[in-house]
Amino acid sequence: MPQLDFANPLMMSKLVWLLIIFGILYYVLKTYALPQVASVLDQRAARIAADLNAARDAQAAGEAALAELRASTAAARAEAQAAISAAMVEAQAAAAKQAAEINERLSAQVAQAEAQVRAARDQAMGALREVAGETANAMLARLSVKAPANDVAAAVDRVASQGAV
Amino acid sequence: MAVEGNAIDALSQFELGTVGGAIGASVGFTQSNLHMVIAGALIVLLMVIGMRPRAIVPGRLQSVAESAYGFIDDMVVSQVGPEGRRFFPFVFTLFMFILFGNMLGLFPYAFTYTSHISMTFTLAAIVIVLVTLVALSIHGMHFFSYFFPEGAPLWLAPIIIPVEIVSYLSRPISLSIRLFANMVAGHVMLKVFATFIVMLAGLGTIGPFLSIMPLAINVVLVGFEVLVAFLQAYVFAILTCIYLHDAVHLH
């Protein structure tokens, strides 16, 4: 087996060259080749992390905008609701006031009309009593009954106050 | 050269010779060393040219370089822990050097430098010396408690300590013999079956048909050897990581 022929001087020189070549390879890889790979991998990792962060930021911004939109929608709705209810209260107040005014005016007119009616009735009543007195006097004169004028007027009044008329 | 008379010569492929004419001969530069230089150049070219695009989305060669880097990086970190990062260049060099040596040896006319026990033992000795130096520099004299596990009964010390020392010293031997034996066995088998192809083909009319069988075996063997080439490099690297873990953490 040639591998066990340790008397061969090439066996030792081969190992010396092995150490030299392995050492050079180690040095080249360690100082030049591997840091380059590491820098590319780091760059990629940094890029991925940056992209992820950007995506996360965009998501956060979108959520914030959505929340803002929701809040402003809710605020607008509340405002509109408040305006509606205020307008409703105002309109109700106005309607109530108007109704009260109309009621007042109507009741005033009613009172006035009643007063006029009462005045007309009183006037009519007065005229009726006069006519009744005259009629009574005329009937008494036809019957040739002499009666004092005061007695006739008193009798007419008594009958009128009894509500017969 | 494979067939001398009727003898199968499977071992001449491991014989050392010098390359580079008189200069190579005078400095003892063997074909083994030439293949080391080729392997080293290929590794450096892969890592440098492969990473040249510095692309965010890697191309083919950059993917190979990056996955080799990531494979060893993961191995070192998972076996030794984050503090083992400083050993990463060493483990990476070791793994790539053995892997490329094994793979390069599968090409026809190529020399497999990992098929020499002296070479694999030198690498294993570098590993063990490094591991011992790391352990001594981190733990000082406390390192020697490694040979006597804590909590073991004191009267067992005369047995345990020699056993632990022998097992520690046998690490480079098992490490180097595993790689050496696997590579030698694979290449001897390839050579033997390749010789069968030639011998059977010379058996007259029926010979060429018979020689298809060893040819088929060799095709399968080459595939198997690719697996072994990777596996042995992996085993060497991961055992190095495990020894480094012991050195850093002491059990």
Side-chain angles (χ1 to χ4, degrees):
Chain A
M1 215 175 196
Q3 290 98 317
L4 300 179
D5 178 17
F6 293 111
N8 190 345
L10 289 180
M11 201 66 108
M12 201 38 112
S13 69
K14 184 190 67 146
L15 296 183
V16 173
W17 281 111
L18 163 68
L19 292 180
I20 294 171
I21 295 165
F22 190 79
I24 291 173
L25 179 64
Y26 173 73
Y27 180 79
V28 169
L29 287 180
K30 186 191 161 109
T31 56
Y32 183 61
L34 294 180
Q36 213 179 339
V37 183
S39 79
V40 171
L41 293 182
D42 287 349
Q43 198 182 330
R44 179 176 311 153
R47 169 86 178 269
I48 289 171
D51 284 359
L52 276 181
N53 275 340
R56 220 169 279 138
D57 288 351
Q59 195 184 8
E63 270 165 13
L66 188 64
E68 201 181 328
L69 175 69
R70 285 219 183 95
S72 60
T73 309
R77 189 172 293 145
E79 204 177 321
Q81 207 74 46
I84 288 170
S85 51
M88 218 181 261
V89 166
E90 202 178 327
Q92 276 172 353
K97 195 178 159 198
Q98 210 171 351
E101 258 173 37
I102 290 171
N103 272 348
E104 203 177 324
R105 204 171 64 224
L106 286 180
S107 55
Q109 281 176 357
V110 166
Q112 197 182 348
E114 274 174 358
Q116 276 175 358
V117 168
R118 204 175 295 124
R121 200 185 59 189
D122 286 353
Q123 203 178 345
M125 280 299 215
L128 192 65
R129 194 172 294 151
E130 229 167 89
V131 169
E134 279 172 13
T135 310
N137 280 332
M139 285 166 73
L140 288 175
R142 186 77 61 85
L143 295 172
S144 316
V145 177
K146 287 250 173 99
N150 283 345
D151 286 355
V152 174
V156 169
D157 276 349
R158 199 172 58 236
V159 173
S161 67
Q162 275 170 2
V165 181
Chain B
M1 85 178 191
V3 186
E4 291 167 5
N6 269 338
I8 297 171
D9 176 20
L11 294 177
S12 68
Q13 59 173 323
F14 303 121
E15 254 160 32
L16 290 171
T18 57
V19 291
I23 300 173
S26 66
V27 295
F29 192 80
T30 63
Q31 83 274 50
S32 169
N33 301 126
L34 177 66
H35 284 85
M36 291 176 192
V37 171
I38 295 171
L42 287 176
I43 294 167
V44 172
L45 284 180
L46 170 68
M47 298 316 282
V48 172
I49 292 184
M51 294 312 288
R52 181 142 295 163
R54 302 181 65 88
I56 292 295
V57 179
R60 274 187 217 173
L61 209 55
Q62 195 183 336
S63 288
V64 173
E66 277 179 16
S67 49
Y69 184 99
F71 180 66
I72 301 299
D73 196 42
D74 284 352
M75 184 196 288
V76 172
V77 170
S78 66
Q79 293 296 329
V80 189
E83 66 271 40
R85 264 272 160 70
R86 61 198 169 112
F87 304 119
F88 167 71
F90 175 71
V91 178
F92 186 82
T93 311
L94 201 59
F95 173 78
M96 294 300 265
F97 190 61
I98 294 171
L99 178 67
F100 274 63
N102 293 351
M103 291 293 189
L104 213 56
L106 287 173
F107 286 94
Y109 300 107
F111 186 89
T112 318
Y113 56 74
T114 45
S115 65
H116 269 245
I117 180 75
S118 54
M119 187 274 175
T120 59
F121 187 80
T122 306
L123 287 184
I126 293 173
V127 169
I128 291 306
V129 168
L130 173 81
V131 164
T132 310
L133 288 180
V134 165
L136 279 173
S137 72
I138 292 179
H139 303 286
M141 284 302 125
H142 188 65
F143 161 67
F144 292 103
S145 72
Y146 182 79
F147 298 112
F148 187 69
E150 217 174 310
L154 206 60
W155 59 270
L156 275 178
I159 305 168
I160 288 178
I161 291 176
V163 166
E164 288 283 341
I165 290 175
V166 167
S167 92
Y168 191 82
L169 292 180
S170 65
R171 279 173 172 185
I173 299 170
S174 68
L175 201 56
S176 55
I177 288 181
R178 184 181 299 112
L179 176 58
F180 153 74
N182 269 286
M183 299 323 291
V184 169
H187 282 80
V188 166
M189 290 225 291
L190 281 174
K191 192 63 168 261
V192 166
F193 283 106
T195 312
F196 280 167
I197 300 173
V198 178
M199 287 168 86
L200 284 172
L203 284 181
T205 345
I206 194 173
F209 298 102
L210 284 179
S211 66
I212 288 175
M213 283 193 299
L215 178 65
I217 291 175
N218 245 7
V219 169
V220 174
L221 269 182
V222 168
F224 186 67
E225 281 305 307
V226 170
L227 179 72
V228 169
F230 176 79
L231 204 64
Q232 288 308 317
Y234 174 73
V235 166
F236 206 102
I238 201 157
L239 283 175
T240 302
C241 287
I242 290 170
Y243 298 157
L244 281 170
H245 172 267
D246 282 356
V248 173
H249 302 287
L250 281 191
H251 281 296

